[in-house]
Amino acid sequence: MTHSNVAYQVMWNRLISVVEEQAQALVRTAFSTSVREAGDLSAGVYDVQGQMLAQAVTGTPGHVNAMADAVAHFIRRIGRENIFEGDVYITNDPWEGTGHLHDITMVTPSFHHGTLVGFFACTAHIVDIGGRGFGADAASVYEEGLYLPIMKFAERGTVDQTLVRIVRGNVREPDQLIGDMYALATCNEIGHRRLIDMMEEFALDDLNGIAAFILDNSRRATIERIAALPRTSADGVLTVDGFATPITLKVKVTVHEDRIVSDFTGTSGLDKKGINCPLVYAKAYACYALKVAIAPEIPNNAASLAPFEIVAPVDTIVNAVHPAPVALRHIVGHFVPDAVFNAFDQIVPGLVPAEGAGCLCNFQVSLRPRSDAPAPPNARRSEVLTFNSGGSGARPAFDGLNATAFPSGVMTMPVEATEHAGPVIIWRKELRPDSGGAGKQRGGLGQFMEVGAREGHEFDIQAMFDRVDHPALGRRGGGAGAPTTIVQNDGTKMNGKGKQFVAHGRKVVMAFPGGAGYGDPAERSKDAVMRDLARGYISAETAMRDYNLSAADIAVVNAAVAKGEDL
């Protein structure tokens, strides 16, 4: 049966809604707060060749774009002759999944009338996978936790209980992890049911026709956008903290008639600690950066990603191969878009934002009963991971977003959810005034955060921060964002990365970085400056120093604030 283009467009939209329902099912059923509260997940549907046809809007570019390559690995490893109805496959392979052991990817074949018609896949970040715990301290991937090769979680509907027992015996939070694994399998099943509903409604025996329609149109539309760009190349450079020594990302972006090549030759080599990034994850964010710059409204699928080619020499920090430690691969991966934008801004000026906070401001606390004195009987061990964000970079026509994760897109976890996950107390969480870089468009604000343990507990904190020594740099005359700071409440300095002990009664005081400004601050409208001052985004000193606001204007703002008036 043949279908019109209109019918295929309806089916395409339906597929996107199917995978969004798949993702929302995972959000509702997952055990880990990183999935439920932060949305650190992805979901997608694939054709029988393993090509991604549609992805959920909910999710992160690192997961989705890396997962775009994963299903082909599953098909190859499992073998087509071993794919049966009722199967569910699993892996956390960093190089054939989404970049580190803390991401579990599940793939489920979808059968219709006994015939394989496609696959569903989903990925979620899980809080603990054993080993050293989530952090940068490992010297190889073998230390970073339990490795699950591509294998069957279930065959013909029967879960492999031996696998479940092995997993339970190797992780700190076994109920949480096993719960997440079942949640992943369930969300794929929901996607499958909705797909079959659609196929029956449109009398489809397979997805070949709709797959060809999606992929052909996406490829053509993306190449049209690329063809409209100048045929030229430019170099982008970005230096960030790294673990013990700074790392530099270098990329040459070259626009061809039908593709864009991003070549990371010249980028720093591998780090001894676990901030190295597999190519699949660096590729995911390099593709994302260019796609949002030139074709943001074209749906994400295998064909719309294909014209973005990524090249990086082996053993650079963006092409780490086994057995490099990669637990915090997001730290490097989240900076890839800023490096790419630094190049692309020279090709198409006035389009991309200034540098932002980049990587997420995550930390994990490992809590336990205090060891310096008798602990209360209710003291317990717990692992609590919290996702937080600095400010995003200012855009050519808009201010940067406050405490917003770009490029990852995950949400900041609510304090209530974090405190519910274990005996941790978030004493302070608020926007950080003056942290956004000055500019015609101001950078987004970072945030303050203060964390401690409940009475009777001590803890280790795994810091996963950057931009301590290398704040976000402005574009086109904009100012830099504020750097990251981390200290204990007695003034003891702490490192931006690594596991560090915090004694009973102590707190960790953090200030997350701001995004950089865009354009000359002298061109910012007085109304915008006065509004920022009234909202507490900037201080009077900053208003006068960076924006030349007069004492009389500041008095007007103060009077309006005192009356409760909005400027």
Side-chain angles (χ1 to χ4, degrees):
M1 180 178 177
T2 58
H3 292 84
S4 67
N5 284 352
V6 172
Y8 276 140
Q9 186 64 58
V10 171
M11 293 181 215
W12 190 353
N13 292 339
R14 179 73 67 83
L15 277 181
I16 293 172
S17 69
V18 164
V19 289
E20 182 59 26
E21 184 173 349
Q22 177 192 359
Q24 291 302 323
L26 183 55
V27 170
R28 290 192 300 271
T29 59
F31 282 51
S32 291
T33 52
S34 51
V35 181
R36 291 199 323 270
E37 304 293 345
D40 195 11
L41 62 105
S42 63
V45 61
Y46 300 71
D47 68 9
V48 290
Q49 306 306 319
Q51 298 180 100
M52 186 169 72
L53 301 180
Q55 64 143 112
V57 176
T58 300
T60 75
H63 280 167
V64 169
N65 292 353
M67 202 174 71
D69 292 339
V71 173
H73 292 306
F74 277 83
I75 295 171
R76 174 171 52 86
R77 294 286 188 193
I78 298 294
R80 288 192 177 274
E81 70 281 4
N82 291 317
I83 293 175
F84 309 123
E85 193 163 0
D87 281 4
V88 183
Y89 313 127
I90 188 172
T91 197
N92 66 345
D93 186 304
W95 293 273
E96 295 188 351
T98 60
H100 67 173
L101 296 176
H102 281 263
D103 283 348
I104 288 185
T105 298
M106 287 268 195
V107 172
T108 302
S110 193
F111 284 78
H112 184 43
H113 298 317
T115 300
L116 179 67
V117 293
F119 296 88
F120 281 89
C122 56
T123 297
H125 179 101
I126 48 93
V127 170
D128 182 70
I129 194 67
R132 284 179 170 265
F134 191 35
D137 296 299
S140 81
V141 73
Y142 295 112
E143 301 175 35
E144 294 184 324
L146 178 65
Y147 166 65
L148 303 172
I150 291 176
M151 60 185 296
K152 292 191 177 186
F153 173 70
E155 180 169 278
R156 302 182 196 264
T158 301
V159 172
D160 185 337
Q161 293 301 327
T162 301
L163 170 62
V164 170
R165 286 195 293 274
I166 290 172
V167 170
R168 293 191 71 91
N170 278 276
V171 302
R172 296 171 181 85
E173 302 274 1
D175 290 343
Q176 183 169 272
L177 177 48
I178 298 302
D180 283 337
M181 289 166 65
Y182 277 99
L184 286 159
T186 299
C187 92
N188 278 353
E189 174 63 22
I190 287 172
H192 162 72
R193 289 182 208 159
R194 296 296 175 266
L195 175 67
I196 299 307
D197 289 346
M198 186 197 90
M199 293 181 73
E200 289 179 347
E201 179 181 339
F202 289 96
L204 297 177
D205 293 323
D206 54 50
L207 297 179
N208 296 342
I210 181 60
F213 178 82
I214 289 171
L215 299 176
D216 290 348
N217 279 282
S218 299
R219 184 179 295 106
R220 181 167 54 252
T222 305
I223 289 174
E224 284 175 2
R225 298 297 176 86
I226 293 171
L229 299 173
R231 304 273 192 284
T232 187
S233 65
D235 295 311
V237 179
L238 178 75
T239 298
V240 291
D241 297 351
F243 189 89
T245 56
I247 57 174
T248 298
L249 304 181
K250 292 185 178 180
V251 60
K252 178 184 283 292
V253 176
T254 303
V255 180
H256 298 275
E257 181 180 0
D258 58 352
R259 69 193 192 283
I260 299 178
V261 178
S262 298
D263 187 340
F264 285 85
T265 299
T267 289
S268 294
L270 296 181
D271 198 279
K272 292 181 180 178
K273 294 296 187 178
I275 61 171
N276 301 294
C277 186
L279 182 61
V280 66
Y281 195 79
K283 174 184 173 184
Y285 274 104
C287 290
Y288 172 72
L290 291 168
K291 190 171 181 306
V292 297
I294 68 168
E297 76 286 356
I298 298 173
N300 229 35
N301 53 56
S304 62
L305 293 171
F308 302 107
E309 296 181 12
I310 313 302
V311 178
V314 169
D315 289 337
T316 52
I317 202 163
V318 292
N319 189 3
V321 297
H322 190 275
V326 292
L328 299 193
R329 59 44 170 139
H330 72 276
I331 292 204
V332 169
H334 290 176
F335 283 123
V336 164
D338 275 344
V340 170
F341 286 156
N342 287 345
F344 197 72
D345 183 62
Q346 302 167 57
I347 297 173
V348 183
L351 183 64
V352 299
E355 292 181 10
C359 73
L360 290 165
C361 304
N362 295 356
F363 60 89
Q364 182 156 331
V365 288
S366 301
L367 303 120
R368 57 182 174 268
R370 65 185 297 179
S371 58
D372 61 327
N378 62 343
R380 59 191 173 95
R381 288 182 173 270
S382 183
E383 297 289 324
V384 179
L385 172 63
T386 177
F387 285 20
N388 307 283
S389 309
S392 68
R395 297 158 288 177
F398 301 96
D399 291 342
L401 299 171
N402 298 333
T404 298
F406 180 83
S408 74
V410 302
M411 294 171 282
T412 288
M413 289 182 180
V415 167
E416 297 82 359
T418 300
E419 293 183 339
H420 181 72
V424 63
I425 299 176
I426 308 299
W427 291 99
R428 182 188 189 196
K429 186 174 174 68
E430 60 187 51
L431 291 179
R432 180 185 180 188
D434 290 335
S435 57
K440 181 179 180 182
Q441 311 296 344
R442 174 188 42 74
L445 303 187
Q447 55 183 312
F448 290 117
M449 201 162 177
E450 194 169 327
V451 63
R454 291 185 197 164
E455 179 66 27
H457 292 82
E458 62 189 27
F459 63 95
D460 293 321
I461 184 169
Q462 274 281 11
M464 311 178 197
F465 310 135
D466 208 281
R467 294 218 179 276
V468 174
D469 300 316
H470 297 84
L473 300 181
R475 202 176 299 287
R476 310 267 165 194
T484 302
T485 63
I486 173 173
V487 297
Q488 293 192 28
N489 60 333
D490 65 347
T492 303
K493 284 193 172 182
M494 301 185 74
N495 298 323
K497 294 183 182 70
K499 180 181 284 190
Q500 296 155 85
F501 174 67
V502 182
H504 178 266
R506 291 275 185 87
K507 302 173 186 174
V508 180
V509 181
M510 297 162 278
F512 300 145
Y518 192 106
D520 187 347
E523 297 180 18
R524 187 164 178 80
S525 74
K526 183 194 285 190
D527 287 347
V529 176
M530 292 175 72
R531 186 170 60 247
D532 282 351
L533 180 60
R535 293 176 176 175
Y537 291 175
I538 61 173
S539 63
E541 293 76 16
T542 294
M544 297 174 72
R545 182 189 69 238
D546 293 344
Y547 298 106
N548 296 316
L549 203 65
S550 69
D553 289 327
I554 290 172
V556 169
V557 172
N558 290 338
V561 170
K563 294 177 182 177
E565 296 173 355
D566 190 25
L567 289 174

